[in-house]
């Protein structure tokens, strides 16, 4: 029996603000894994001291060229790291990672924002078509495909 089992490589990715804060609240779940955090704000590195950290371009559906740049950056990160799992709380970088990861055979997990109480976020609705697992933080939004296990607090 191996006393030092190989850690699972995880890419934990999100955009700025509330998405990042929710991703950080999941940090304990990855504590024994080989995690690389990815976001759009270089200054967030200090929030994950001692962890691997990458930055991608800030973009949205309104900035198509920047979105293409971000997609290439995320693809490069996924090809270099070769994670077993992608975990995201959204928005644009998370959706791109889910979409690319699915095509690369990487397991994917989308955790939709608690801010979206009436329906899944737009990114979440898009990601739901591609992610292996989709979690909502609102019980009434759960379905056969979308799971509820509680809120991130």
């Amino acid at each position: 029996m191996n006393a030092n089992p190989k850690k699972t490589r995880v890419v934990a990715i999100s955009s700025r603000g509330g998405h990042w804060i929710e991703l950080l609240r999941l940090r304990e779940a990855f504590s024994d894994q080989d995690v690389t955090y990815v976001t759009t704000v270089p200054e967030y590195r200090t929030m994950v001291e001692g962890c691997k950290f990458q930055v991608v371009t800030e973009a949205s559906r309104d900035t198509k060229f920047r979105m293409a740049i971000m997609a290439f950056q995320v693809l490069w990160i996924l090809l270099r790291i070769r994670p077993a799992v992608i975990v995201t709380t959204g928005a644009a970088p998370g959706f791109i990672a889910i979409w690319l990861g699915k095509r690369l055979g990487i397991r994917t997990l989308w955790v939709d924002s608690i801010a979206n109480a009436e329906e899944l976020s737009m990114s979440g609705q898009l990601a739901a078509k591609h992610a292996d697992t989709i979690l909502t933080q609102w019980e009434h939004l759960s379905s056969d495909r979308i799971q509820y296990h509680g809120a991130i607090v």
Side-chain angles (χ1 to χ4, degrees):
M1 185 165 168
N2 187 354
N4 187 13
K6 187 176 178 183
K7 294 181 175 186
T8 301
R9 275 187 247 144
V10 176
V11 164
I13 181 170
S14 79
S15 56
R16 64 176 48 235
H19 295 286
W20 178 253
I21 298 304
E22 286 184 346
L23 187 66
L24 291 183
R25 289 181 180 163
L26 295 172
R27 199 170 170 186
E28 187 178 317
F30 327 126
S31 63
D32 59 344
Q33 306 307 321
D34 180 7
V35 182
T36 301
Y37 288 91
V38 181
T39 191
T40 59
V41 181
E43 293 78 15
Y44 285 0
R45 177 183 306 272
T46 61
M47 299 170 122
V48 290
E49 292 262 340
C51 296
K52 297 173 188 168
F53 182 82
Q54 298 284 317
V55 176
V56 295
T57 299
E58 179 77 41
S60 71
R61 67 180 180 263
D62 298 326
T63 57
K64 305 271 191 267
F65 182 72
R66 291 175 68 85
M67 186 74 81
I69 292 169
M70 179 199 293
F72 282 112
Q73 291 170 330
V74 171
L75 177 61
W76 180 245
I77 289 167
L78 296 177
L79 291 174
R80 275 193 355 257
I81 294 171
R82 297 273 183 205
V85 180
I86 297 167
V87 176
T88 184
T89 51
F95 169 71
I96 289 171
I98 293 284
W99 192 88
L100 290 169
K102 194 65 180 167
R103 278 136 191 86
L104 293 170
I106 302 167
R107 290 179 27 229
T108 58
L109 169 65
W110 179 275
V111 181
D112 207 54
S113 173
I114 197 164
N116 295 32
E118 301 303 319
E119 62 183 3
L120 283 185
S121 65
M122 182 170 39
S123 298
Q125 291 174 34
L126 293 170
K129 298 173 185 173
H130 305 281
D132 293 313
T133 304
I134 306 103
L135 300 179
T136 179
Q137 297 183 66
W138 296 99
E139 189 170 13
H140 65 277
L141 295 180
S142 65
S143 67
D144 291 339
R145 178 98 170 94
I146 302 166
Q147 301 172 34
Y148 170 78
H149 296 284
I152 301 171
V153 289

